[in-house]
Amino acid sequence: MNKHLEQLVKLSKFDKDIVGFEPQIKGQNDKLKVFLKTVDELNEKINKLYVEIDDSKNKRIKNDIHLKELADRIKEINTKYDSVKNEKEAKALQLEEEIAKEQIAFANNEIVRLDEISSSKEKILEELKIELKQEETDVEELKNSISANIEELESKREVVYKEKSELVEKIDGKVLSFYEKIKRWAGNSAVAPIKNQACYGCHMKLTNRAYSDFLVTEEIFTCPHCGRIIYKEENQE
Ligand SMILES: [Zn+2]
């Protein structure tokens, strides 16, 4: 292969590799984001549960206070029974006592219901706390492995950069600017291999005439269809 062409094939590969590092680094950061999002969601659920448990406990306290008041009222009613003068007064007292007893029954049911809510939410809360702790440990481990991976990718990229700049130094100025010109529109496929007589940049087949010219030339050859620099892959017959 022509020496200039050989350099351009290498250069194009370096350029491709350099571009390839960015999505790999981003992929690592995205992985971490997924885990951090889970931690956030768990924290949110836990905070919501704390508020809800607090709310049902406050309601229970109110019911407790109400029960005490009702017990006092029953006592009061009972003392009044001794001084009842007629049946009408007795009936009124009885009615008052019945209402108080109904309210006591209702408050007791409420307390049972609120306690059940609190205890079931507390159970969920404990489970979520365990889950959160595990998730936080995972995040910590992941952070370490991700930053190690990113560091490794960055140092590999550094090596490719260095190799590329060493290569660029050696490339003839005219050849390099020819490559850069094509690269401006073709991006990282500025140099494309020919496989089965077709250009792998534009996927068009070379005519037999163009192909035989291409096979014998010692010069840098461009695809007659798209203008990319083309080369014959070494391992191809
Ligand atoms: Zn082409």
Side-chain angles (χ1 to χ4, degrees):
M1 201 190 283
N2 173 308
K3 185 190 112 198
H4 296 305
L5 180 59
E6 207 173 314
Q7 287 171 331
L8 289 184
V9 171
K10 262 190 202 163
L11 179 61
S12 162
K13 199 186 163 297
F14 285 148
D15 280 338
K16 236 179 253 173
D17 287 347
I18 288 167
V19 171
F21 282 111
E22 207 47 52
Q24 288 185 65
I25 291 172
K26 193 181 170 290
Q28 290 291 320
N29 283 321
D30 286 348
K31 206 156 83 180
L32 183 62
K33 271 187 209 156
V34 171
F35 276 77
L36 288 175
K37 195 172 165 244
T38 310
V39 169
D40 278 351
E41 283 167 355
L42 279 172
N43 268 318
E44 218 171 279
K45 277 186 198 162
I46 286 171
N47 286 335
K48 198 169 159 251
L49 273 173
Y50 270 122
V51 171
E52 286 169 356
I53 291 167
D54 194 48
D55 182 57
S56 59
K57 288 198 166 164
N58 281 335
K59 281 183 183 153
R60 191 207 200 276
I61 290 170
K62 277 183 193 157
N63 275 287
D64 278 336
I65 293 168
H66 192 45
L67 268 183
K68 277 193 193 92
E69 287 167 356
L70 289 166
D72 288 345
R73 198 179 298 164
I74 296 271
K75 256 186 224 160
E76 206 187 308
I77 292 167
N78 283 333
T79 56
K80 277 184 187 169
Y81 269 123
D82 298 335
S83 52
V84 160
K85 289 183 193 99
N86 52 43
E87 206 178 323
K88 201 181 159 199
E89 273 187 22
K91 269 196 174 164
L93 267 186
Q94 231 172 351
L95 186 64
E96 213 182 314
E97 193 184 7
E98 269 168 31
I99 291 169
K101 278 181 179 165
E102 262 172 38
Q103 286 177 330
I104 288 172
F106 182 77
N108 275 321
N109 284 339
E110 268 300 279
I111 286 172
V112 171
R113 192 181 70 87
L114 291 166
D115 281 351
E116 275 169 7
I117 290 173
S118 297
S119 73
S120 79
K121 289 197 169 175
E122 269 164 352
K123 206 178 146 225
I124 299 169
L125 179 66
E126 285 318 304
E127 286 164 4
L128 286 179
K129 276 179 174 173
I130 292 167
E131 209 181 311
L132 177 66
K133 208 174 167 197
Q134 184 57 50
E135 204 66 32
E136 280 173 340
T137 314
D138 290 349
V139 164
E140 226 26 66
E141 279 170 18
L142 193 68
K143 263 186 192 164
N144 292 335
S145 83
I146 279 178
S147 60
N149 288 347
I150 289 177
E151 225 169 89
E152 198 191 329
L153 284 168
E154 278 170 348
S155 69
K156 274 186 191 164
R157 181 165 63 180
E158 210 45 54
V159 170
V160 179
Y161 266 130
K162 200 168 160 269
E163 284 174 344
K164 183 194 161 179
S165 60
E166 281 168 8
L167 176 65
V168 167
E169 300 258 325
K170 290 182 207 150
I171 299 178
D172 174 81
K174 266 187 201 156
V175 174
L176 186 62
S177 68
F178 182 59
Y179 167 78
E180 293 291 347
K181 222 157 90 186
I182 297 171
K183 200 185 155 208
R184 228 175 285 156
W185 59 265
N188 287 314
S189 68
V191 181
I194 290 286
K195 288 179 194 169
N196 303 320
Q197 209 175 315
C199 162
Y200 262 60
C202 66
H203 303 288
M204 299 265 284
K205 208 162 172 144
L206 266 64
T207 60
N208 288 338
R209 174 77 191 276
Y211 189 58
S212 53
D213 284 350
F214 162 72
L215 289 179
V216 295
T217 189
E218 274 303 309
E219 300 303 308
I220 286 178
F221 204 85
T222 56
C223 168
H225 303 291
C226 68
R228 285 181 177 84
I229 297 161
I230 48 179
Y231 68 98
K232 192 168 177 286
E233 267 203 324
E234 306 266 291
N235 57 1
Q236 227 211 347
E237 277 307 298

